């Protein structure tokens, strides 16, 4: 945990120095200023948890300083120091955002106690804000599987859950990488803190940086107010970076710095901020190949790859099919339905390019299309027949280019998934954003 950061503002130099020395001995990180103007310069450069302002300052009083501070750092908690003759003014300060006031002469222990309460109040508000923005259900996931290779990964997950080291989760699309990221979070001491997922492939570079690190008011068109990023929302918990291989190179540099120091800047801001989070990343790409071909920073890869979990594809754990099928049927609107022996045999012969996620879609479709209490093989609409038909319709020249093959393959996937781009991207093992680029590149139309 980083120390609570304080800004003490008082024009009585002897008292100011006494306060700074005392509070530093108590473990606080303290800056000080003798004027409101100097204090505002510090506020614009640094992030503070608590401000302690004397109400009587030259040129600008403590209330005006409070108002100006809140414009720059809305979440700071401010204590007002006041004499007996200005208590009414101090109460007025609380109406415009002060946390509390203390009358002079005051007991230093009383001041420390009030600072502690202010710090607790700030931490509570931050946690509440995070929980409002991030819906993370404590037990909202199930990891099902009893095959040897799957159990091995599960046991490793349990062993490293309480560690703070970064984890890289590798696996094909649809294998359940996010479930393992949640397991790392909820099986750890961070379970009561936020679990915050970030999809690295879902947004353009400039929006992704703002989403991740936040932005300052006026930093770009439409930035009408300061905004916290998901890094801050995950404070004390777990930041899950999904589709890591899609992250732009320029943003990789900033992520590396954050991993090494815990520090970052919001877009358009000069202030350094610090949070403590556990970082878990996931990818369906061959990251060593991405590094070798210059698409991913080697130093960032090794910083994230402290511990690696490799999730086996469903075709390598067919023994788990019955349990998974029962689970997915149980989640549908008609959980009493059962799979026929023919349907189960068909699934056992299928390779599941979309892995567990594809299985859930197949079961959902089967329950919907089956007329009786039994789901037949024909109700699943397995893609083999479509694939065979597509293969016979397409005749490749022996000298056709890789682009031509890719175009036909992507078009077939889109047709099989009825142009549902999310499902097609899952089957192809690429991000939705990448799929849209390919559709534009090849001029594909529904």
């Amino acid at each position: 945990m980083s120390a609570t950061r304080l800004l003490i503002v008082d024009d009585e130099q002897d008292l100011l120095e006494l306060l700074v020395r005392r509070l530093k001995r108590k473990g606080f990180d303290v800056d000080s200023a003798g004027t409101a103007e100097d204090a505002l310069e510090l506020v614009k450069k640094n992030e503070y948890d608590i401000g302690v302002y004397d109400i009587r300052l030259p040129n600008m009083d403590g209330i005006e300083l409070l108002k100006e501070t809140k414009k720059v750092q809305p979440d700071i908690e401010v204590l007002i120091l006041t004499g007996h003759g200005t208590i009414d003014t101090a109460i007025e300060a609380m109406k415009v955002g002060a946390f509390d006031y203390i009358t002079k002469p005051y007991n230093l222990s009383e001041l420390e106690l009030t600072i502690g309460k202010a710090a607790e109040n700030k931490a509570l508000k931050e946690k509440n804000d995070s929980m409002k923005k991030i819906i993370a259900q404590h037990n909202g996931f199930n990891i099902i599987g009893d095959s040897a290779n799957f159990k091995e990964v599960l046991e490793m997950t349990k062993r490293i859950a309480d560690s703070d080291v970064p984890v890289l989760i590798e696996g094909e699309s649809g294998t359940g990488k996010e479930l393992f990221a949640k397991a790392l979070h909820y099986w750890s001491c961070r379970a009561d803190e936020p679990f915050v997922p970030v999809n690295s492939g879902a947004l353009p570079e400039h929006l992704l940086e703002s989403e991740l690190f936040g932005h300052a008011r006026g930093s770009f068109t439409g930035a009408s107010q300061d905004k916290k990023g998901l890094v801050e929302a995950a404070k004390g918990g777990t930041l899950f970076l999904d589709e890591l291989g899609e992250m732009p190179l320029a943003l990789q540099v900033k992520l590396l710095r954050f991993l090494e120091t815990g520090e970052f800047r919001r877009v358009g801001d000069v202030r350094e901020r610090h949070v403590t989070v556990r970082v878990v990343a996931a990818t369906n790409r061959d990251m060593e190949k991405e590094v070798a071909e210059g698409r991913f920073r080697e130093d960032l890869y090794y910083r994230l790859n402290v511990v690696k979990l490799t999730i086996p594809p469903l075709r390598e754990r067919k023994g788990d099919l019955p349990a998974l099928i029962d689970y997915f049927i149980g989640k549908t609107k008609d959980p009493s339905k059962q799979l026929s022996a023919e349907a189960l045999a068909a699934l056992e012969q299928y390779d599941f390019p979309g892995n567990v996620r594809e299985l859930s879609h197949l079961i959902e479709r089967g329950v919907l299309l089956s007329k009786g209490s039994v789901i037949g093989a024909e109700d699943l609409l397995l893609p083999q027949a479509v694939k065979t038909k597509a293969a016979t319709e397409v005749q490749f020249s022996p000298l056709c280019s890789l682009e031509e093959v890719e175009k036909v393959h992507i078009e077939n996937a889109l047709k099989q998934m009825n142009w549902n781009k999310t499902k097609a991207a899952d089957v192809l093992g690429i991000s939705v954003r990448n799929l849209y680029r390919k559709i534009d590149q090849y001029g594909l139309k529904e």
Side-chain angles (χ1 to χ4, degrees):
M1 288 289 290
S2 56
T4 301
R5 194 161 193 188
L6 307 181
L7 175 59
I8 314 294
V9 187
D10 200 317
D11 62 342
E12 295 183 42
Q13 191 62 30
D14 292 343
L15 178 58
L16 183 63
E17 291 176 359
L18 172 65
L19 278 178
V20 170
R21 286 197 302 271
R22 168 79 178 235
L23 292 170
K24 281 186 175 180
R25 283 201 304 271
K26 293 294 182 177
F28 295 104
D29 184 358
V30 187
D31 286 341
S32 62
T35 67
E37 291 80 6
D38 289 344
L40 282 176
E41 287 301 312
L42 290 171
V43 166
K44 291 173 183 176
K45 293 178 182 177
N46 307 306
E47 182 80 3
Y48 295 102
D49 298 302
I50 312 293
V52 181
Y53 298 168
D54 188 17
I55 201 165
R56 293 192 180 278
L57 296 169
N59 301 323
M60 181 190 298
D61 65 22
I63 294 180
E64 284 302 312
L65 175 58
L66 165 65
K67 292 177 181 177
E68 293 301 314
T69 298
K70 287 284 188 177
K71 290 179 183 178
V72 182
Q73 297 190 35
D75 297 326
I76 191 173
E77 297 287 8
V78 176
L79 307 179
I80 295 293
L81 304 178
T82 177
H84 285 292
T86 55
I87 290 179
D88 290 342
T89 313
I91 294 173
E92 185 65 29
M94 292 184 67
K95 292 179 181 178
V96 296
F99 174 76
D100 204 348
Y101 69 91
I102 297 177
T103 56
K104 291 182 175 181
Y106 51 81
N107 183 291
L108 286 176
S109 296
E110 177 191 1
L111 176 61
E112 291 166 14
L113 182 62
T114 308
I115 289 172
K117 289 179 179 177
E120 288 175 6
N121 188 66
K122 184 174 186 291
L124 182 61
K125 286 199 296 188
E126 286 178 347
K127 187 171 181 179
N128 286 341
D129 288 344
S130 296
M131 296 308 288
K132 288 176 185 176
K133 294 175 183 177
I134 308 300
I135 301 172
Q137 297 183 12
H138 193 109
N139 293 312
F141 67 99
N142 287 277
I143 299 181
I144 297 169
D146 200 39
S147 54
N149 55 353
F150 193 73
K151 284 177 69 176
E152 185 179 338
V153 181
L154 206 55
E155 287 302 316
M156 173 67 80
T157 303
K158 291 175 182 176
R159 288 202 298 271
I160 64 175
D162 252 339
S163 169
D164 293 326
V165 300
V167 178
L168 180 62
I169 304 175
E170 290 189 341
E172 296 176 8
S173 182
T175 49
K177 296 185 290 295
E178 184 167 350
L179 292 181
F180 277 85
K182 286 183 176 180
L184 286 168
H185 177 77
Y186 290 120
W187 294 347
S188 77
C189 57
R190 290 170 290 274
D192 292 331
E193 302 299 332
F195 173 83
V196 182
V198 183
N199 190 322
S200 305
L203 294 169
E205 180 176 343
H206 67 287
L207 292 180
L208 179 59
E209 182 179 357
S210 172
E211 189 77 5
L212 192 60
F213 295 119
H215 63 250
R217 180 177 58 180
S219 56
F220 53 84
T221 303
S224 57
Q225 58 185 11
D226 288 353
K227 179 190 173 185
K228 285 185 179 181
L230 295 178
V231 164
E232 289 175 86
K235 182 179 180 182
T238 300
L239 182 71
F240 174 50
L241 301 173
D242 199 7
E243 295 194 30
L244 178 70
E246 296 286 330
M247 182 169 287
L249 279 167
L251 193 54
Q252 291 176 29
V253 179
K254 297 179 181 181
L255 177 61
L256 176 63
R257 181 174 179 275
F258 171 68
L259 286 169
E260 291 178 338
T261 66
E263 296 178 347
F264 65 97
R265 292 179 183 174
R266 293 178 181 174
V267 176
D269 202 350
V270 297
R271 279 174 290 150
E272 293 284 354
R273 301 169 191 269
H274 185 280
V275 294
T276 301
V277 299
R278 203 267 183 91
V279 176
V280 177
T283 181
N284 57 16
R285 295 190 179 189
D286 181 343
M287 294 307 295
E288 291 186 1
K289 180 180 178 183
E290 294 296 305
V291 169
E293 296 181 359
R295 290 189 293 269
F296 200 86
R297 291 182 62 95
E298 183 177 26
D299 46 7
L300 177 57
Y301 171 66
Y302 287 114
R303 186 69 182 83
L304 286 166
N305 189 25
V306 178
V307 178
K308 182 190 290 185
L309 296 176
T310 302
I311 316 301
L314 185 54
R315 63 182 175 274
E316 294 179 6
R317 44 182 289 237
K318 291 286 187 69
D320 294 331
L321 270 177
L324 287 165
I325 290 166
D326 288 344
Y327 172 73
F328 289 129
I329 291 177
K331 288 181 65 178
T332 66
K333 292 182 179 180
D334 197 346
S336 63
K337 291 197 175 187
Q338 293 183 333
L339 209 65
S340 70
E342 293 78 11
L344 178 58
L347 289 175
E348 288 174 341
Q349 294 299 314
Y350 185 53
D351 276 345
F352 293 100
N355 290 292
V356 178
R357 186 184 293 122
E358 185 183 10
L359 173 63
S360 73
H361 294 157
L362 289 170
I363 296 301
E364 186 177 13
R365 180 194 300 162
V367 170
L368 184 65
L369 296 181
S370 58
K371 295 178 181 178
S373 60
V374 177
I375 304 168
E378 69 280 1
D379 299 319
L380 298 174
L381 297 181
L382 285 171
Q384 283 112 325
V386 181
K387 283 185 177 179
T388 303
K389 182 181 177 184
T392 58
E393 289 176 350
V394 179
Q395 296 295 324
F396 291 112
S397 162
L399 297 177
C400 67
S401 68
L402 284 174
E403 283 194 349
E404 289 175 301
V405 175
E406 183 179 60
K407 176 183 176 181
V408 172
H409 185 59
I410 290 173
E411 189 171 22
N412 286 340
L414 287 164
K415 287 177 179 177
Q416 290 173 40
M417 297 300 153
N418 295 318
W419 278 80
N420 183 315
K421 298 177 184 64
T422 301
K423 291 182 180 179
D426 285 342
V427 170
L428 291 166
I430 61 177
S431 70
V432 176
R433 186 173 71 176
N434 197 5
L435 178 58
Y436 272 103
R437 285 200 297 264
K438 296 294 184 182
I439 289 171
D440 290 339
Q441 177 182 343
Y442 298 128
L444 302 177
K445 294 181 180 179
E446 188 170 355

